[in-house]
Amino acid sequence: MVVTAVGTLLSAAVVTGAAQATAAPTAARYQPEMVTALAHSLGVSEDAAVARLDRQAAQEGELSDLGRAGVATDGAYFTADGRLTVNVSSAAAAAQVRQHGLAARVPQRGEHALDRVKASLDAQALREAPDGVTSWSVDLPSDTVTVHVDPDRTSAAAKSFLKSAAAHGSAVRIVRDGQGLTTQATVYPGSSMSWTNNSGSWVCSVGYGAHDSSGRQYLVSAGHCVADLTDLYVNKSHFAKGVHSRYALGRQSVDMGIAQVDSDDSVATQVGTWGQGSNVAVKGSKRAASGASLCKSGQTTGWTCGAVKSYNVSVTYKDEHGGPDTVVTGLATSSVCTEGGDSGGAYISGNQAQGMTSGGPIGQQCSGTNSSGSSYFQPLDDALSYYGLTLNTN
C-alpha cells in the first residue's frame, strides 16, 4: 500500500483517485492549485497571486545572500503589502540591507532579545499551566512578545503569569481576545490515519515522509497524533507505528513526533489539494518568513490558505475531554483555517514544506479556500533537526 497524498484524508478516494495523482506541468513556476487557492485567500486575481509569490521568493533569496555576505540580521518579516523587512542592529547594516532591495529596521529589541523574554515566560508557564492565557509568541512586526488572554477565564496561575509578563514592561503586549485552544485530533468512528487507545478511536491527517541515515522511513507528525506510540492505520490497513513523541497531556510538551513506516508502504512527496488541482510537489523544507503565504492540507477542512504569523509560539491547550491543560512550546501560528481532525496535516509555501497542524481555536468553523481563521503548526525543520531525519523530496 502506498500513501499517495500527503496531509490529506486517507480514504480510498484519495489513495487511488486519479485527479489527486495527476502532476502539474513542470514548466509552471507554481502549481495551479497553489495559485488558485492563494488568490481566493487573498481576494486577488491569479496573476496578482503569482506576482506576490515571485516577489516573496526574490526577497527571500536576497535575505539568504545577506547571510552569506556576513550581514548580521535579527529577524525578518513580510509586511501586509508583501515587502520583506529585516531587523538589524546598526545604520551600517541597514544600508547593506537596502542595497539588496529590502526594507531595514533598527528595532528597540529585535528577535534575539524577544526570544529571551519569551523563554522566561515559558519557564513560568511550565511550572503551572496558565489556564486563561491562550498563547504567547514573539511578534516581530510589533517588536513585542504578544500574549493572548481569554478575558472570560483567568485562573490564579494566569494572574501570576501576567504579573511576570508585566515585569518586562513594553516588551510584552497583552491582547484580551483569546479563545480556548485545543489540539485538533477528533474521536471518529472509523479510520483515516487512525489509532485506538483507552479513550476510543482517533483520527489525524498525514504529515511528511522522511528517512534516517540508514534509509529507514518515517512519518513526521504532530506529537499528539503519535503520543501513545500505537499502531497507525490507513483504510483499516496498518502502515506505521509511533516510535517517539514529545507531547504528553498535562506536561511540558513540544508537539512533534515520528512513526516508523512499514517496509512495504511509503508517504508520497506530494501534498494533496482536495480537488483544487494536481498535487503540490515537495522540493525542500526552507522555512518561510513571517508574513509569507502558505497553504495546508487536512482531512477535515481540505485545502486552505493564509499566511505565516509568528514563530516561537507557546500555547495553553485545553483538553476537551476533561483532562489537564497542556503547555506546548516551539510552535508557529498562521491565518490558515483548521478544524478538529486536521492535526498532523501538511503546511507548504510554494514547494517548501513548512510543518504539521498542531491545533487551533475551539469550535472554529471553516468553509472554502478563502476562509479566514487561525491555526498553530509544528515547524517541520525543527522536527527534522531534532530527530536527525532528512525530508523525502520530489
Side-chain angles (χ1 to χ4, degrees):
M1 177 189 67
V2 177
V3 181
T4 58
V6 181
T8 63
L9 171 64
L10 299 178
S11 65
V14 172
V15 171
T16 62
Q20 288 279 332
T22 303
T26 57
R29 292 196 303 282
Y30 310 105
Q31 291 181 255
E33 64 288 337
M34 171 67 76
V35 174
T36 299
L38 183 58
H40 278 250
S41 177
L42 297 174
V44 300
S45 69
E46 293 193 5
D47 285 345
V50 168
R52 184 183 181 95
L53 289 170
D54 283 344
R55 290 194 303 272
Q56 180 177 305
Q59 291 177 92
E60 289 186 330
E62 294 293 339
L63 182 61
S64 296
D65 288 344
L66 281 169
R68 286 190 288 270
V71 178
T73 62
D74 196 12
Y77 60 93
F78 284 99
T79 57
D81 62 1
R83 191 171 188 190
L84 189 61
T85 299
V86 183
N87 284 340
V88 290
S89 60
S90 69
Q96 291 178 286
V97 169
R98 295 187 185 102
Q99 287 174 1
H100 282 258
L102 305 178
R105 181 180 73 165
V106 180
Q108 181 179 352
R109 285 168 285 270
E111 186 172 40
H112 292 102
L114 294 174
D115 282 345
R116 290 192 292 272
V117 172
K118 182 180 172 292
S120 71
L121 296 180
D122 284 348
Q124 168 90 8
L126 295 173
R127 287 192 290 271
E128 185 176 10
D131 183 20
V133 179
T134 56
S135 69
W136 53 104
S137 64
V138 170
D139 183 68
L140 291 179
S142 68
D143 197 33
T144 65
V145 173
T146 301
V147 179
H148 291 270
V149 181
D150 183 346
D152 298 323
R153 192 181 74 251
T154 306
S155 64
K159 292 177 181 177
S160 176
F161 180 94
L162 294 174
K163 182 178 180 180
S164 297
H168 294 283
S170 62
V172 175
R173 179 169 62 108
I174 307 297
V175 181
R176 299 186 182 278
D177 67 348
Q179 293 175 270
L181 305 176
T182 185
T183 54
Q184 289 186 321
T186 56
V187 175
Y188 190 82
S191 65
S192 284
M193 187 185 97
S194 63
W195 71 98
T196 301
N197 61 18
N198 293 334
S199 301
S201 296
W202 298 79
V203 62
C204 273
S205 301
V206 169
Y208 287 102
H211 60 276
D212 65 15
S213 58
S214 299
R216 286 184 290 266
Q217 294 293 317
Y218 294 90
L219 170 71
V220 186
S221 183
H224 70 271
C225 290
V226 295
D228 296 320
L229 306 186
T230 58
D231 295 301
L232 300 174
Y233 293 84
V234 173
N235 292 330
K236 300 182 181 180
S237 181
H238 190 281
F239 90 108
K241 178 177 175 56
V243 293
H244 194 276
S245 174
R246 299 180 69 188
Y247 184 91
L249 184 66
R251 304 213 310 265
Q252 174 182 346
S253 292
V254 176
D255 202 11
M256 64 173 69
I258 56 174
Q260 187 166 352
V261 178
D262 295 348
S263 60
D264 57 345
D265 297 335
S266 64
V267 180
T269 54
Q270 297 177 335
V271 177
T273 62
W274 292 90
Q276 300 299 315
S278 58
N279 299 338
V280 179
V282 177
K283 299 294 187 182
S285 56
K286 180 181 178 181
R287 180 178 291 201
S290 297
S293 302
L294 81 167
C295 298
K296 83 99 199 46
S297 187
Q299 68 96 19
T300 304
T301 59
W303 184 247
T304 55
C305 298
V308 179
K309 289 183 179 178
S310 301
Y311 292 101
N312 192 11
V313 181
S314 297
V315 304
T316 305
Y317 279 145
K318 299 289 293 180
D319 183 69
E320 293 188 281
H321 303 279
D325 292 349
T326 303
V327 172
V328 176
T329 60
L331 297 176
T333 185
S334 79
S335 59
V336 175
C337 197
T338 60
E339 296 179 19
D342 283 330
S343 279
Y347 286 68
I348 191 164
S349 180
N351 291 112
Q352 298 297 309
Q354 298 299 312
M356 298 74 62
T357 301
S358 174
I362 296 171
Q364 178 167 260
Q365 298 292 312
C366 311
S367 61
T369 57
N370 59 348
S371 298
S372 61
S374 63
S375 59
Y376 298 85
F377 65 92
Q378 167 60 51
L380 176 63
D381 55 355
D382 286 345
L384 293 173
S385 175
Y386 182 84
Y387 288 114
L389 299 177
T390 300
L391 179 67
N392 295 337
T393 56
N394 189 287

